[in-house]
Amino acid sequence: MTAVVLNSVSMTFNPGTAREVNALDGIDLSIAEGEFVSLIGPSGCGKSTLLRLVANLVEPTAGTIIVNGTSAGQARRDHTYGMAFQQAGLFDWRNVRRNVELPLELAGWDRGRRRERAEEMLALVKLDDFADHMPWQLSGGMQQRVAIARALATHPPLLLMDEPFGALDEMTREHMQAELLRIREATGSTIVFVTHSIPEAVYLSDRVVVMSPRPGRITRIVDIALTGGRDDDTREDQAFFAGITEVRESLRAVEGYHSHGGVDDR
Amino acid sequence: MLRRAARKTILFVVAVFAVGCVWELYKVIGPVDGGSVFGWKIIPKASDRAMPHTWDMIARLLEPENRSGGSPIAVTVAGYSWYTLRLAAVGLLVGGIVGIGLAVLMARWRIASRAILPWVIMSQTVPLIALAPQVVSWSGKIELFGWEWPRWASVCALAAFLSFFPVAVGTLKGLTSVPAASLELMETYAVPWRVTLMKLRFPAAVPFIIPSLKLAATLSVVGVIVAEISTGIRGGIGRAVLSYQQASTGDAEKIYSAVFGAAALGLALFGSVVLLEVIVNRNRPREAT
Amino acid sequence: MRVARLASAVLPPLVWGVAFVAAWEALVRGFDLKPYFLPAPSAIWSAFTDNVGLVRAAAFVSGGNALVGLLLGVALGVAASFALMRSNLLNELVSPLAIALNAIPIIVLVAVFQNMFTSTSEVPRRLMVMLIVFFIVLVNVAKGLRQVSPIHLELMRSYAATPRSVLVKTRIPNAVPYLFTAVKIAAPTAVITAFVSEYFGGRQNGLGYFIPSNFANSKNAVAWAYVIGACLLGLTFYLVSVLLENITSNRRGKAPGGATT
């Protein structure tokens, strides 16, 4: 079964008004179960909108979206995906464990099971010693790990991530990328990942979807063929550089890349 | 912009009208002599003496103060309000200067902040307005450099005392909220503290000072009115409220003329701070706070 | 270390305060000021200890009015802010009214309340306190219920959370610190309002009656003794509300932004 299918999806904000924005136009994309797909493109290309459409946080103006075999709205109501944002978005009045428990509470789990699952998730992101801490006592990277634990708490088959490491420094970022791949290995989740960073997209993904702005379209899909497991050595691998070059050239071909310059070359 | 302002104005008029309607509705359904719940007399009396009709309150504005002749009470009350407004404006000015001065002092020296700030906060938690009679009793007994301390100056001093606090706290917050990077930039220029204050800290504090001045304006008006009432000084709106209230038995609508006068006066001083805000902020991006 | 920190926090204001009282005493003695002009701190203190029972009784009257008005105002303010959150129209109608009322000296309404209720009861005063507290609480709590982080709302939407869950798990917890900040502002205001309300006539039993009447009879030291009572009352209300606020904000590690009166 495919995890996500988008069929000629278009999205127009404020249709019929002076502020009309054609954010996405004719998007066709299908993502296989267990696949890691990154969405990359200059600012305003609609990659975040695309993710929000899959999450059913906004409704498309045209086209159909199938998530985990059901409509996007049904997938949201069934809690079959988890989501992480650029800001961790933790509730500062709850401790770490109770933040992770939040989606379980809303799904109607009882107290004992909730606690058990939260401990399991915190162990997965290696924060089991911090369960009773308050969010403000954690560093940015740790907060983001709590957010990932929260997104994974219901064991959703699909994980949607909107620039989750965008606010972190480079060192923490590389560490978090490695952690994410380890978590993916453990859970087998399908991951859709929005990013500004070319190396990040190439390091993490099976496929990188390159998008162009105004209206947002998919211009190219780059397959990343990194042999073996990905670790720190991967970042010095020839195949890794080849992937970066290919994505960068695809982005250069995108009209408006230079004028917008929204992509990180790090 | 203009459409939003017009909408807000219309909604405000509707809201005021709705309050009037609730008042009149209560007069229809409420008991004339009031009532009690669990022995508490908390049901208002709906009689014309206790709650006159809204249209009678407005009509009263056009009749003379003592119903015997002379100019309409609206004119008389405007005179009282003008008297109080001047005292409140002086109080706000003095309170504002003292407040900003204290804030600069506290921003400059940490020790000053630690010594003064607790007292500044405490000065507002205690009802020091109670001292109005004492302060006013000094009038005519103190001479400063040959200038005899008049009674109105005591009233202004009390108003200033009430209004300096929000300004001091707001300004201090503004002066110390400057980003560290900007302070370091000024340090690279090796300029004295005074220059940093004028070029950086003050401009950065403006979005904090203006709201504190709005609060101070209302407090200054309250201070003058309360001082007028507690010391029996004549000529202002505070005294008018008290004497019109005492005349309520025979002339129930009269008190509302004074209430309207007090409201207009409060809005006038508040409005002048808003005007100042518009002038100061004309070159700033909207929604700085 | 803790002792040193406590000392550095308490010592400067204490030194300043002691110096102030000493200067006052010296001024009165040095210039031989008459008690009706300004009584010495020592005279005020002995008047306070002589009349401590009377001061306490008057403080209980004013303090009782402040407390009843404060509790009612908080309860009604919280209830009304929920109503404002549910209805946009209501919010647009009430918000400008609240701003306008903030700008005018609504304390003069005590005079009106005395006509509407039995003027020899405490009801007009308590109503006045309630009204002022009500608007402080309304403005702040309504802000806390509305100004929820957009990310939290998006997160709750991704969980397909019901409006009730969003309210209970996001909006209400977000508004709690705003409530306590409002109470911290409202508590001293309640005392001052209860006290000033007594100036407008009515029963002659509270601090707001005894202070001016003693000044009028040139019993300045006794009036000052009642002022001490008023200060203690105001401080008690303030400290209790600060304590309440600290209990909630300590856990969160930061205060909510922008409380307004």
Side-chain angles (χ1 to χ4, degrees), chain A residues 83-132:
Chain A
M83 188 152 184
F85 303 88
Q86 179 167 7
Q87 277 99 39
L90 303 179
F91 286 2
D92 55 7
W93 53 87
R94 285 168 170 247
N95 66 18
V96 166
R97 181 194 295 108
R98 293 203 54 233
N99 262 293
V100 178
E101 284 182 17
L102 177 71
L104 307 172
E105 276 173 42
L106 292 163
W109 288 36
D110 68 56
R111 213 188 145 95
R113 273 181 76 212
R114 262 184 356 227
R115 200 185 162 96
E116 200 178 313
R117 176 62 65 83
E119 305 268 326
E120 178 199 323
M121 287 299 123
L122 287 172
L124 181 70
V125 297
K126 296 182 180 164
L127 282 176
D128 23 1
D129 292 339
F130 294 88
D132 293 317

Side-chain angles (χ1 to χ4, degrees), chain B:
Chain B
M1 253 296 293
L2 252 160
R3 269 187 58 195
R4 265 191 62 194
R7 184 186 155 79
K8 274 188 168 174
T9 313
I10 290 168
L11 280 167
F12 180 69
V13 173
V14 170
V16 172
F17 185 72
V19 172
C21 287
V22 170
W23 179 275
E24 290 298 334
L25 183 70
Y26 184 78
K27 278 185 64 64
V28 174
I29 60 166
V32 171
D33 291 322
S36 53
V37 177
F38 305 119
W40 283 28
K41 292 185 178 168
I42 55 168
I43 310 289
K45 302 175 204 162
S47 67
D48 283 349
R49 195 191 82 70
M51 294 176 66
H53 284 291
T54 43
W55 45 85
D56 288 338
M57 297 175 196
I58 293 163
R60 182 69 184 87
L61 285 171
L62 302 173
E63 290 171 38
E65 187 173 24
N66 292 318
R67 290 217 153 132
S68 52
S71 50
I73 198 168
V75 176
T76 317
V77 164
Y80 293 147
S81 292
W82 172 240
Y83 179 87
T84 304
L85 178 65
R86 282 181 300 168
L87 295 187
V90 174
L92 176 62
L93 196 68
V94 174
I97 291 169
V98 170
I100 291 176
L102 273 178
V104 169
L105 212 65
M106 289 190 282
R108 181 70 184 90
W109 291 289
R110 274 184 55 97
I111 184 78
S113 152
R114 280 195 313 210
I116 300 173
L117 197 57
W119 287 100
V120 168
I121 291 171
M122 230 190 288
S123 76
Q124 299 303 303
T125 65
V126 298
L128 279 191
I129 192 74
L131 293 178
Q134 174 78 80
V135 176
V136 172
S137 79
W138 293 338
S139 333
K141 292 173 191 157
I142 300 179
E143 265 188 57
L144 290 173
F145 312 111
W147 182 62
E148 194 177 284
W149 184 261
R151 273 158 81 89
W152 63 263
S154 301
V155 175
C156 289
L158 281 161
F161 188 85
L162 246 70
S163 55
F164 91 92
F165 172 74
V167 181
V169 172
T171 309
L172 179 62
K173 202 171 167 191
L175 291 177
T176 51
S177 72
V178 180
S182 305
L183 282 176
E184 279 175 356
L185 179 73
M186 293 308 278
E187 240 166 79
T188 65
Y189 300 148
V191 291
W193 197 84
R194 183 175 45 82
V195 176
T196 311
L197 180 72
M198 298 311 291
K199 300 261 181 237
L200 174 62
R201 288 187 190 261
F202 259 132
V206 166
F208 293 82
I209 296 176
I210 297 284
S212 74
L213 279 178
K214 287 182 187 168
L215 201 57
T218 313
L219 287 175
S220 184
V221 172
V222 171
V224 171
I225 289 178
V226 171
E228 283 175 1
I229 287 174
S230 70
T231 58
I233 288 178
R234 299 187 169 276
I237 199 77
R239 191 66 204 170
V241 168
L242 211 57
S243 63
Y244 288 4
Q245 204 272 327
Q246 282 152 3
S248 287
T249 328
D251 192 353
E253 292 83 17
K254 203 175 183 181
I255 175 71
Y256 293 94
S257 306
V259 170
F260 294 151
L265 144 73
L267 289 174
L269 197 61
F270 189 83
S272 57
V273 177
V274 172
L275 199 67
L276 178 75
E277 180 182 28
V278 171
I279 294 170
V280 169
N281 280 355
R282 66 195 183 284
N283 288 330
R284 284 174 187 254
R286 287 183 59 80
E287 278 306 297
T289 47

Side-chain angles (χ1 to χ4, degrees), chain C:
Chain C
M1 193 55 212
R2 271 188 73 129
V3 177
R5 270 185 49 194
L6 197 71
S8 81
V10 172
L11 225 50
L14 201 67
V15 168
W16 178 252
V18 169
F20 181 75
V21 173
W24 178 353
E25 183 84 35
L27 188 77
V28 173
R29 283 167 193 257
F31 288 89
D32 195 23
L33 297 178
K34 297 284 170 288
Y36 60 78
F37 187 80
L38 184 67
S42 53
I44 294 170
W45 183 249
S46 65
F48 179 70
T49 49
D50 289 347
N51 296 293
V52 74
L54 292 172
V55 173
R56 188 193 297 131
F60 274 17
V61 170
S62 303
N65 288 344
L67 188 64
V68 171
L70 180 65
L71 294 178
L72 288 175
V74 168
L76 283 177
V78 169
S81 49
F82 277 98
L84 285 202
M85 186 194 64
R86 296 209 155 231
S87 160
N88 251 326
L89 180 68
L90 205 61
N91 185 48
E92 280 190 288
L93 281 177
V94 174
S95 300
L97 215 55
I99 294 170
L101 281 180
N102 248 330
I104 68 178
I106 51 176
I107 186 80
V108 298
L109 289 180
V110 182
V112 170
F113 292 158
Q114 283 187 338
N115 290 350
M116 290 167 63
F117 301 90
T118 316
S119 61
T120 50
S121 76
E122 304 292 346
V123 171
R125 298 164 183 174
R126 291 177 178 175
L127 196 65
M128 193 65 241
V129 176
M130 186 193 90
L131 200 63
I132 284 183
V133 171
F134 171 79
F135 280 108
I136 296 175
V137 171
L138 176 69
V139 168
N140 280 292
V141 175
K143 198 194 241 177
L145 287 173
R146 273 174 181 273
Q147 292 186 350
V148 176
S149 141
I151 292 197
H152 289 169
L153 289 181
E154 212 162 47
L155 187 72
M156 292 307 271
R157 183 165 157 76
S158 83
Y159 298 143
T162 58
R164 209 189 115 80
S165 298
V166 175
L167 181 66
V168 173
K169 296 196 190 294
T170 314
R171 293 191 185 274
I172 292 179
N174 192 61
V176 167
Y178 288 82
L179 172 65
F180 283 102
T181 305
V183 170
K184 192 179 80 177
I185 298 164
T189 311
V191 175
I192 294 174
T193 306
F195 174 87
V196 169
S197 298
E198 295 175 31
Y199 287 176
F200 290 80
R203 291 176 76 178
Q204 308 184 328
N205 52 359
L207 295 166
Y209 168 73
F210 285 114
I211 295 173
S213 71
N214 275 299
F215 274 126
N217 294 329
S218 293
K219 292 199 268 181
N220 283 26
V222 180
W224 274 95
Y226 281 104
V227 171
I228 293 183
C231 293
L232 292 177
L233 188 66
L235 271 182
T236 310
F237 270 65
Y238 178 71
L239 291 178
V240 169
S241 59
V242 168
L243 205 68
L244 280 175
E245 195 197 26
N246 271 357
I247 292 170
T248 51
S249 67
N250 265 356
R251 251 178 92 68
R252 302 190 188 207
K254 65 173 191 270
T260 42
T261 48

Side-chain angles (χ1 to χ4, degrees), chain A residues 157-226:
Chain A
L158 175 64
L159 186 55
L160 306 175
M161 309 184 89
D162 188 3
E163 292 183 49
F165 309 144
L168 304 179
D169 63 79
E170 189 65 17
M171 251 83 79
T172 315
R173 195 173 179 147
E174 286 192 0
H175 176 69
M176 291 294 292
Q177 290 164 3
E179 286 290 296
L180 181 60
L181 288 180
R182 183 182 59 75
I183 290 165
R184 179 205 180 196
E185 198 76 15
T187 60
S189 305
T190 312
I191 299 179
V192 185
F193 192 96
V194 169
T195 181
H196 266 118
S197 156
I198 299 171
E200 180 167 86
V202 172
Y203 178 72
L204 292 170
S205 313
D206 301 317
R207 284 193 295 161
V208 177
V209 176
V210 179
M211 297 178 67
S212 71
R214 268 153 248 192
R217 287 201 179 97
I218 295 175
T219 49
R220 187 145 176 237
I221 298 178
V222 180
D223 285 299
I224 306 296
L226 294 178

